[in-house]
């Protein structure tokens, strides 16, 4: 009942917000729903009951991790929206009346993804995230935003259609006598996995990987992501990168669980390694040439989705590293996208070449931007260093030790590409630039909170989180 309310409540409030024309009232609703959602989510950490076969909704260890990331980021983004919508957007918004309702429906859809224990419902929930978030990308009624929205809808729709085909394949695999009655229930399919047709299972995973991998931004199916993330408003970009990509990864995670339970996890790991290194390599190459700082962050998301896929593909301790990396990347990238909104508001352009002196004109945002740049690059003492080093160590200890140096080299290229774009933006240009007005404290405090969380996870992973991450990794054979 509590899980159903977590989905129904924000969805219902979205309908009510649609009829609200006062932006302050809509923002109050957004903040109230976000805070309530996080409170309920935190209370669910105390419950750890087994999910019975046939259950439609349920929260396992993987679900609570990704639900918590979504809830935390949504509250931070909602707080950031207050100054962003009231006075600080760099251009006049065109879809203001749809902004809060779509955000709340987006939250409801992402919540449903994390609690769905039926693969048909999971598919519908991931499709719902696309429909809820598309109007948010077109918030600023620009031609580029319209193109990005259509690209997002078209490419992700093709991907979700392939994922549906994978779900059908799974249904066919479950028609063997010993698995009849499983339907598309995840717990029942995992229980029956050793009896399922291996050929149909492999086909189902391939289609799910391609389909949900498109939404996750894995190369070469990533082409929608740089446009959508760069055209969306800053708080929406933070949610797209920090929360939505995780939802797509969770779709792949669920299919992997079934394949691993059938004893054929090696097949899935091989494909994930291939797509993971492809994504990391493509993103690193494109980041070196990038001159738009929002698109740069978007390509960085592709890079980090590749890191997660590689960690899961390596297996063993690297799976724990991959899941920890998902947490770290969500916090860090959301903070960077919020900061990009501050920079865009101040300078009015996303072209990195036209932005100089961020540290001077926006000292708070500038310092945080520099800090999170190094955090994103995997330098100590931040959390991404811990997760990337865990994956690297597992790689060099594995049977294909050469993957470790390759992994480290591609990460280094990506970091140098990012630094070569962002560091010149921070420096003063030597001209007599006047000091800008004080930055709205909420627009600095929100990325600061996320940056502190990334720092803490680099120094210490709390036992409650470490335990859940280890148990989630075990679901994939880690």
């Amino acid at each position: 009942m509590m899980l159903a309310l977590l989905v129904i409540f924000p969805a219902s409030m979205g309908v009510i917000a649609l009829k609200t024309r006062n932006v302050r009232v809509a923002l109050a609703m957004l903040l109230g729903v976000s805070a309530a959602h996080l409170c309920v989510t935190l209370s669910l950490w105390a419950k750890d009951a087994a999910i019975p076969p046939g259950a439609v909704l349920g929260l396992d260890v993987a679900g609570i991790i990704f639900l918590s990331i979504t809830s935390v980021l949504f509250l931070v983004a909602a707080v950031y929206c207050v100054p962003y919508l009231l006075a600080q957007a760099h251009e006049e918004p065109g879809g203001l009346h749809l902004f809060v309702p779509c955000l709340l429906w987006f939250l409801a859809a992402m919540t449903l993804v994390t609690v769905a224990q039926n693969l048909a419902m999971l598919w519908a929930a991931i499709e719902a995230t696309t429909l809820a978030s598309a109007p948010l990308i077109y918030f600023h009624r620009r031609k580029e935003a319209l193109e990005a929205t259509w690209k997002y809808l078209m490419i992700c729709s093709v991907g979700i259609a392939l994922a549906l085909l994978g779900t059908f394949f799974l249904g066919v695999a479950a028609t063997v006598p010993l698995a009849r009655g499983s339907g598309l229930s995840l717990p029942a399919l995992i229980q029956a996995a050793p009896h399922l047709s291996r050929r149909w299972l492999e086909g189902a995973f391939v289609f799910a990987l391609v389909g949900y991998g498109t939404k996750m931004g894995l190369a070469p199916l990533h082409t929608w992501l740089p446009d959508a993330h760069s055209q969306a408003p800053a708080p929406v970009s933070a949610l797209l990168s920090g929360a939505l990509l995780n939802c797509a990864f969770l779709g792949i995670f669920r299919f992997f669980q079934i394949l691993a339970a059938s004893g054929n996890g090696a097949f899935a790991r091989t494909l994930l390694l291939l797509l993971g290194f492809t994504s990391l390599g493509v993103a690193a190459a494109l980041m070196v040439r990038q001159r738009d700082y929002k698109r740069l962050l978007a390509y960085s998301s592709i890079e980090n989705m590749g890191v997660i896929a590689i960690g899961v593909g390596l297996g063993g301790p690297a799976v724990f590293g991959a899941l920890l990396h998902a947490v770290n990347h969500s916090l860090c990238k959301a903070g960077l996208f919020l900061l990009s909104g501050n920079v865009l508001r101040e300078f009015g352009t996303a072209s990195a070449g036209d932005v100089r002196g961020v540290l001077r004109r926006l000292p708070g945002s500038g310092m945080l931007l520099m800090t999170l740049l190094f955090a994103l690059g995997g330098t100590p003492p931040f959390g991404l260093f811990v997760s990337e080093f865990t994956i690297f160590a597992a790689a060099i200890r594995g049977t294909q030790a050469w993957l470790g140096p390759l992994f480290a080299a591609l990460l280094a290229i990506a970091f140098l590409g990012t630094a070569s774009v962002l560091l010149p933006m921070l420096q003063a240009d030597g001209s007599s630039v006047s000091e800008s007005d004080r930055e709205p404290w909420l627009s600095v405090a929100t990325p600061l909170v996320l940056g502190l969380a990334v720092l803490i996870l680099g120094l210490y992973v709390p036992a409650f989180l470490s335990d859940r991450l280890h148990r989630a990794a075990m679901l994939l054979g880690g």
Side-chain angles (χ1 to χ4, degrees), residues 22-23 126 174 230 234 236 257 285 294 356 362 372 387 409 465:
N22 187 316
V23 67
I126 292 179
S230 61
V236 176
Q257 276 184 268
K294 285 199 74 177
R356 289 294 182 270
L362 300 171
L372 288 181
S387 50
L465 177 59

Side-chain angles (χ1 to χ4, degrees), residues 54-106:
V56 176
L57 300 179
L59 202 56
D60 60 2
V61 285
I64 188 68
I65 291 169
F66 290 112
L67 175 63
S68 301
I69 295 172
T70 301
S71 194
V72 168
L73 292 188
F74 196 87
L75 178 58
V76 171
V79 173
Y80 183 90
C81 282
V82 174
Y84 189 87
L85 287 189
L86 290 183
Q88 302 302 324
H90 73 285
E91 58 185 295
E92 190 65 26
L96 192 57
H97 67 290
L98 282 175
F99 190 76
V100 171
C102 286
L103 272 179
L104 292 172
W105 294 330
F106 192 28

Side-chain angles (χ1 to χ4, degrees), residues 143-164:
K143 179 185 174 186
E144 295 83 0
L146 180 61
E147 290 177 359
T149 304
W150 275 112
K151 201 170 181 180
Y152 174 59
L153 283 170
M154 296 301 293
I155 296 177
C156 287
S157 295
V158 171
I160 206 72
L162 294 173
L164 181 62

Side-chain angles (χ1 to χ4, degrees), residues 107-122:
L107 174 63
M110 290 191 291
T111 302
L112 185 57
V113 171
T114 61
V115 301
Q117 291 294 317
N118 181 287
L119 294 178
M121 180 172 285
L122 174 73

Side-chain angles (χ1 to χ4, degrees), residues 230-231 290-297 350-352 421:
S230 61
Q231 292 300 323
Q290 197 50 240
R291 294 297 175 261
D292 180 314
Y293 57 86
K294 285 199 74 177
R295 288 181 71 87
L296 175 77
L297 296 178
S351 171
V421 175

Side-chain angles (χ1 to χ4, degrees), residues 340-390:
S340 76
N342 296 349
V343 175
L344 186 58
R345 180 198 64 232
E346 176 68 17
F347 292 87
T349 176
S351 171
D354 296 329
V355 177
R356 289 294 182 270
V358 174
L359 276 171
R360 182 174 177 182
R361 290 172 62 166
L362 300 171
S365 295
M367 287 300 296
L368 279 172
L369 190 60
M370 184 165 61
T371 303
L372 288 181
L373 160 65
F374 285 99
L376 185 67
T379 58
F382 298 101
L384 284 96
F385 168 75
V386 178
S387 50
E388 288 178 353
F389 184 78
T390 303

Side-chain angles (χ1 to χ4, degrees), residues 9-32:
F9 180 56
S12 304
M13 293 302 288
V15 175
I16 296 172
L18 189 61
K19 301 180 182 299
T20 304
R21 295 299 173 187
N22 187 316
V23 67
R24 293 179 184 275
V25 173
L27 281 171
M29 292 172 64
L30 181 66
L31 290 172

Side-chain angles (χ1 to χ4, degrees), residues 155 213-214 217-226 282 286 299 302:
I155 296 177
T214 301
L218 291 175
L221 310 163
H222 64 283
T223 50
W224 67 270
L225 194 150
V282 168
L286 292 173
Y299 280 114
I302 297 168

